[in-house]
Amino acid sequence: MDEKKATAFSEIVWGIISDAFRYSNDKSSSIPPNRSLKDFVTEEVEKKDLSPADRTVVLQMAEMWGAFVGDPIGRQSLKYFWLEECIDGENLFVASTYKAILDRVAKIILAKADVRLSTKVTSVKSKSSPGEDPNIIITTQDGSSLEFDEAVLTPPLGWLKRNLSAFSPPLPRPITRAIANISYGRLEKVFVTFPTAFWDDPSPTAVPAPVPSPGSPNPPSTPESTKYPFFTHFLHPTYHPQQNPHAWNIELVSLSALPPPTAHPTLLFYIHGPCASHITTLVSGLQPPDPEYFARLDAFFEPYYSRLPNFATHDPACRPLGILATDWQNDELAGWGSYTNFQVSELVRDGEGGGEGEGGEEVQLDRDIEALREGLPDRGIWFAGEHTAPFVALGTVTGAWWSGEGVGRRIAAVYGLERKEEVVAATVGGGDGDDGVVDLSGVRANGKLDGEKAKDGASLNGIAL
């Protein structure tokens, strides 16, 4: 597409999405729950002074929102679109990956906590009686039982949807309703790596094209070479009906456009919704380095990388060295999906198996999130993760971190810890009178309990994270 037209259409799309956020914020209570973002975008595009062909292109470009939430924009709720509004500022790409961040976060935990890896939890039993402290018994797959005063549970939302029976006594209605109502996305990623980044123009006189997506980092450029744009969107590709008969939109990011030393000759494809489900099915039962795994993925993605500059069919530099696809939709530990999103629903969703007028109730996703975020403190059960984050950071790594901090502070408050800035650990009196240090997962608090719980005088024996 012509660069000038692509830039103009991109501005229209992002302008409409900004309008949709405002509309959802201002009119959420009056928007029917079955009205989608696609409905809104379609209506707004019709108001623009565009030719029918250009309107079609803008609508196709708007489909890129699906890669943000993991499902098509026809499934994105307009009523609760405000829950998708992001933190102000640039949408940064972590070029060096999260490894250094995770290493920093894990350092104190690995040094001071009893961390059990490769250990699956099969049941969470909570016991509490009026006037008594909660008691949590966690059973693992090998039959071991561990006892705690409090349990911070961080399984993905998708895991919770399939494992309500793991809780005893059963979770109360507000929690199970929230788990059922909040949707879980279908985002997947496919990495295709080459001997060299053949798509980058080595000509010193070439002029770099702008990144079409606002908020994305600009592709680096030097006098010696010009990097191909960071982001590419293949609109409604109909040129390969054998592999993509539904003409699903395809998006890719050029990792060669990252700053050194993180740049490498790899194309990262983002796929979502039905397309992502198709890809996971395509390689079901196969794993790299199985040649069939490679062949099936290459057959699907070759029509797109072959359209990049400088591609030559018989040039070894243009043939992939390896391909790796995520498979979160078939991964139990990922919750059989990617992360939380907020989809359209009917006017009334069944309450306890009945239809409208028989226990049916309106879906209220903001209240559902608040219910999950509240957890069950009286039973010593707390939930954390991207699905319990502050509204401005739902479905994000930042939100997951904030949710853990929030729960940590609440637990600290229950045990009478006085919060002080710049301190991470809490000194807690153990049952035998000896002081010990318990990491509260990022809580900036310091205090001493002397063996007593602030609200009811119980000693703190342990916290499960």
Side-chain angles (χ1 to χ4, degrees):
M1 183 186 301
D2 173 78
E3 179 184 329
K4 184 177 180 180
K5 180 176 287 190
T7 300
F9 287 176
S10 179
E11 291 175 354
I12 291 174
V13 169
W14 284 105
I16 292 175
I17 287 176
S18 295
D19 292 342
F21 277 129
R22 283 191 291 270
Y23 183 78
S24 181
N25 263 307
D26 296 341
K27 306 290 185 181
S28 179
S29 61
S30 61
I31 299 174
N34 57 358
R35 191 176 180 207
S36 71
L37 174 62
K38 186 174 184 177
D39 295 332
F40 182 89
V41 172
T42 301
E43 293 171 5
E44 293 302 304
V45 169
E46 289 296 320
K47 300 175 184 177
K48 304 294 182 182
D49 184 18
L50 298 170
S51 69
D54 286 348
R55 287 175 183 169
T56 298
V57 172
V58 171
L59 289 173
Q60 290 172 353
M61 290 181 69
E63 294 287 341
M64 61 84 198
W65 183 258
F68 283 85
V69 297
D71 276 292
I73 64 171
R75 296 297 306 161
Q76 168 71 61
S77 167
L78 181 63
K79 183 180 183 71
Y80 292 105
F81 189 47
W82 62 273
L83 291 174
E84 295 286 4
E85 193 159 13
C86 300
I87 304 166
D88 289 339
E90 287 187 295
N91 182 21
L92 300 178
F93 189 98
V94 184
S96 60
T97 78
Y98 287 98
K99 184 181 185 304
I101 298 172
L102 291 174
D103 288 345
R104 176 71 177 270
V105 171
K107 186 175 181 179
I108 190 172
I109 298 172
L110 294 175
K112 297 180 179 293
D114 177 10
V115 180
R116 304 192 182 189
L117 303 176
S118 301
T119 304
K120 288 185 180 181
V121 170
T122 56
S123 70
V124 179
K125 185 176 182 180
S126 56
K127 297 187 294 183
S128 62
S129 301
E132 295 184 5
D133 298 322
N135 176 258
I136 313 294
I137 298 175
I138 292 179
T139 303
T140 60
Q141 195 172 44
D142 63 3
S144 301
S145 293
L146 307 170
E147 192 169 344
F148 301 93
D149 299 299
E150 316 282 344
V152 182
L153 306 178
T154 63
L157 175 66
W159 186 92
L160 291 172
K161 287 179 177 290
R162 299 196 189 190
N163 288 276
L164 293 179
S165 61
F167 295 88
S168 177
L171 297 173
R173 175 64 184 154
I175 299 293
T176 59
R177 179 181 59 217
I179 292 170
N181 286 347
I182 304 171
S183 304
Y184 206 52
R186 295 179 291 168
L187 177 75
E188 301 285 353
K189 301 178 182 181
V190 181
F191 298 82
V192 185
T193 192
F194 295 83
T196 62
F198 67 83
W199 52 90
D200 288 337
D201 191 343
S203 169
T205 60
V207 178
V211 177
S213 174
S216 297
N218 291 323
S221 178
T222 67
E224 290 77 26
S225 66
T226 298
K227 299 294 186 182
Y228 182 76
F230 183 72
F231 176 78
T232 302
H233 190 177
F234 295 91
L235 301 177
H236 196 66
T238 57
Y239 38 78
H240 202 20
Q242 294 83 6
Q243 289 290 336
N244 188 358
H246 301 285
W248 293 307
N249 285 9
I250 303 293
E251 301 174 36
L252 72 80
V253 164
S254 170
L255 300 186
S256 69
L258 297 176
T262 57
H264 52 100
T266 299
L267 299 173
L268 167 54
F269 287 88
Y270 285 87
I271 52 177
H272 65 274
C275 180
S277 297
H278 171 73
I279 292 299
T280 59
T281 302
L282 195 65
V283 293
S284 178
L286 302 174
Q287 293 290 335
D290 189 325
E292 185 64 19
Y293 176 93
F294 178 93
R296 292 185 185 185
L297 291 176
D298 188 45
F300 186 91
F301 289 101
E302 190 271 345
Y304 310 106
Y305 69 71
S306 64
R307 278 174 159 70
L308 298 182
N310 310 317
F311 178 84
T313 302
H314 301 295
D315 186 344
C318 300
R319 304 310 306 172
L321 294 176
I323 306 179
L324 180 65
T326 62
D327 191 18
W328 293 322
Q329 292 179 63
N330 295 306
D331 187 343
E332 176 189 10
L333 300 182
W336 296 279
S338 50
Y339 46 78
T340 299
N341 62 25
F342 307 98
Q343 298 187 24
V344 294
S345 64
E346 298 305 316
L347 293 176
V348 172
R349 177 170 288 177
D350 290 351
E352 294 289 352
E356 186 172 357
E358 300 177 354
E361 54 196 13
E362 183 179 350
V363 173
Q364 296 179 302
L365 294 178
D366 50 342
R367 294 187 182 181
D368 289 330
I369 294 162
E370 289 170 344
L372 270 181
R373 190 186 297 153
E374 174 64 21
L376 301 169
D378 291 343
R379 285 169 50 174
I381 292 179
W382 313 75
F383 294 103
E386 51 86 15
H387 49 293
T388 69
F391 289 146
V392 74
L394 287 162
T396 68
V397 174
T398 300
W401 173 262
W402 281 350
S403 75
E405 283 191 322
V407 167
R409 291 190 181 102
R410 291 171 63 198
I411 294 175
V414 167
Y415 286 88
L417 293 175
E418 181 184 358
R419 285 178 54 204
K420 292 183 180 179
E421 294 300 318
E422 307 304 329
V423 181
V424 176
T427 303
V428 180
D432 58 359
D434 295 331
D435 288 346
V437 177
V438 178
D439 173 56
L440 293 179
S441 187
V443 179
R444 294 177 181 175
N446 188 27
K448 187 172 181 178
L449 294 183
D450 294 327
E452 290 196 351
K453 185 175 178 179
K455 288 189 175 181
D456 46 31
S459 63
L460 175 63
N461 297 316
I463 297 176
L465 298 175

